[in-house]
Amino acid sequence: MRKTFFCIDSHACGNPVRVVAGGGPILPHLPIADRRALFLRDHDWIRTALMFEPRGHDIMSGAIFYPPWREDCDVAVLFIEVSGCLPMCGAGTIGLSTVLIEEGLVTPRVPGILSLETPAGRVDVRYEMEGDRVASVRLFNVPSYLHARDVVAEVEGLGPLSVDIAYGGNFYAVVEPQAHWPGLSGAAETVSLSQRLLCALQGVVEPVHPENPDIRGLHHVIWCDAPRAGGDGRGAVFYGDRAIDRSPGGTGTFARMAQLHGRGRLAVGASWRNESPIGTIFEGRIEEAVRIGPFAGIRPSLGAWARITGHNTIFVDDRDPLRHGFQIA
């Protein structure tokens, strides 16, 4: 048996986003958080087949879209990438929104605004057109917050490292330059440090979202440094086993803004231009202050762009011993 997936590939400020427009699993019409649980239980092989080699690679992100459960949303989405089926993905939202509008796959109820039902909550995307192409988008994220400050972990080969834990749709260890880490270096070193840091943080901190206990655990790191290409700061987002986001990182930028706000360094209404490892920029802004359970948080937004790179018909053949993908350790 051969399973066929029709995908529309794109990139969001440099990070690949593969949108599954055909061939995704049929799921019952439930809230997308419940459909996510079913997908993880019964269909996660689709994620690994489309995201891992030989059909994907270590930095692959993607999305599968469905009719919404919520009446105030235009579309529901599952975010798939090498690190799992995520509650929220900023780059995935930017790429998905561009694909849905340019390819005519969804007609928003309100022209110029696409409302997404994500496992993390409702996300609104405002988009600007140039002719029949999406020029740019601004996504308004779920509430974000600083979860814990000054968490210290003993990192192998480095020594003690102090990090903040912040939520921007996923939980992040936010690392700023300090005595044992002077700042960003090459990608290979950042990957190695991220792997060691996440290992060191196991058993030290296990964040759980105060309003959604299904959102838990620490799987992402954002390494923060001084800008080089006109931003207010620069960040390298680590996810999966060895991936460095080529964009500034959507949920990473939100987590960074929540961390800065929580430390009193970024006010409501202020902007934060976050620079990626390749020099592209997400233009973040704190829209308002909110409460997330017992935490003071923010509702952030960011402006960015994506471009479609092509249509891709992908086969997953039962005769292929590598049909569900692989990663090299």
Side-chain angles (χ1 to χ4, degrees):
M1 182 177 177
R2 186 171 71 181
K3 181 69 173 173
T4 302
F5 298 90
F6 176 65
C7 303
I8 303 174
D9 286 348
S10 65
H11 75 87
C13 290
N15 208 62
V17 180
R18 174 167 288 165
V19 177
V20 181
I26 298 174
L27 298 174
H29 189 57
L30 296 168
I32 197 61
D34 295 334
R35 281 182 272 185
R36 174 177 178 256
L38 293 175
F39 179 88
L40 285 168
R41 186 189 72 185
D42 300 331
H43 305 286
D44 198 47
W45 67 268
I46 295 175
R47 177 186 67 85
T48 61
L50 296 181
M51 299 292 104
F52 291 175
E53 295 183 70
R55 300 165 193 86
H57 47 74
D58 286 337
I59 308 124
M60 202 74 208
S61 293
I64 309 174
F65 62 96
Y66 291 93
W69 170 266
R70 293 178 52 150
E71 293 183 357
D72 61 349
C73 290
D74 299 304
V75 67
V77 57
L78 295 176
F79 295 107
I80 55 175
E81 65 168 45
V82 290
S83 67
C85 185
L86 301 181
M88 173 57 188
C89 178
T93 298
I94 295 163
L96 170 69
S97 300
T98 300
V99 166
L100 292 179
I101 298 302
E102 281 198 14
E103 297 287 313
L105 299 175
V106 172
T107 301
R109 294 165 303 121
V110 179
I113 303 175
L114 182 69
S115 295
L116 306 177
E117 179 189 353
T118 81
R122 173 176 162 170
V123 173
D124 289 335
V125 180
R126 296 182 182 271
Y127 57 91
E128 299 288 339
M129 303 294 294
E130 289 182 353
D132 59 354
R133 298 287 184 260
V134 177
S136 64
V137 304
R138 175 163 290 274
L139 67 95
F140 295 79
N141 195 38
V142 298
S144 306
Y145 72 100
L146 177 59
H147 184 87
R149 301 184 185 199
D150 303 319
V151 177
V152 178
E154 189 72 28
V155 180
E156 178 187 357
L158 193 66
L161 207 58
S162 177
V163 307
D164 292 337
I165 308 300
Y167 177 78
N170 300 293
F171 283 109
Y172 279 81
V174 183
V175 191
E176 296 182 306
Q178 54 196 272
H180 291 96
W181 183 69
L184 284 167
S185 53
E189 176 67 13
T190 302
V191 167
S192 176
L193 285 176
S194 300
Q195 293 168 337
R196 285 179 276 155
L197 173 60
L198 289 175
C199 182
L201 286 169
Q202 290 181 8
V204 175
V205 61
E206 181 67 18
V208 179
H209 194 284
E211 296 178 346
N212 186 346
D214 290 334
I215 300 175
R216 61 174 60 230
L218 185 61
H219 310 289
H220 294 65
V221 182
I222 180 167
W223 301 86
C224 306
D225 206 344
R228 287 181 175 175
D232 296 305
R234 179 165 52 109
V237 165
F238 172 87
Y239 61 94
D241 292 328
R242 59 185 66 84
I244 298 293
D245 200 320
R246 273 46 177 169
S247 80
T251 58
T253 298
F254 294 133
R256 174 62 162 155
M257 288 194 292
Q259 179 249 359
L260 290 169
H261 178 76
R263 285 193 166 271
R265 292 157 53 188
L266 195 64
V268 172
S271 297
W272 179 263
R273 290 168 53 83
N274 197 25
E275 184 183 320
S276 76
I278 63 171
T280 52
I281 288 176
F282 282 174
E283 299 191 7
R285 184 171 66 231
I286 297 181
E287 300 293 336
E288 61 178 338
V290 296
R291 298 292 302 184
I292 305 102
F295 297 96
I298 60 171
R299 188 177 299 278
S301 73
L302 67 79
W305 52 268
R307 297 293 182 263
I308 295 173
T309 57
H311 292 177
N312 192 353
T313 300
I314 296 176
F315 301 136
V316 179
D317 195 320
D318 281 350
R319 300 172 301 163
D320 183 355
L322 302 177
R323 59 190 176 277
H324 293 167
F326 65 86
Q327 288 183 298
I328 296 177

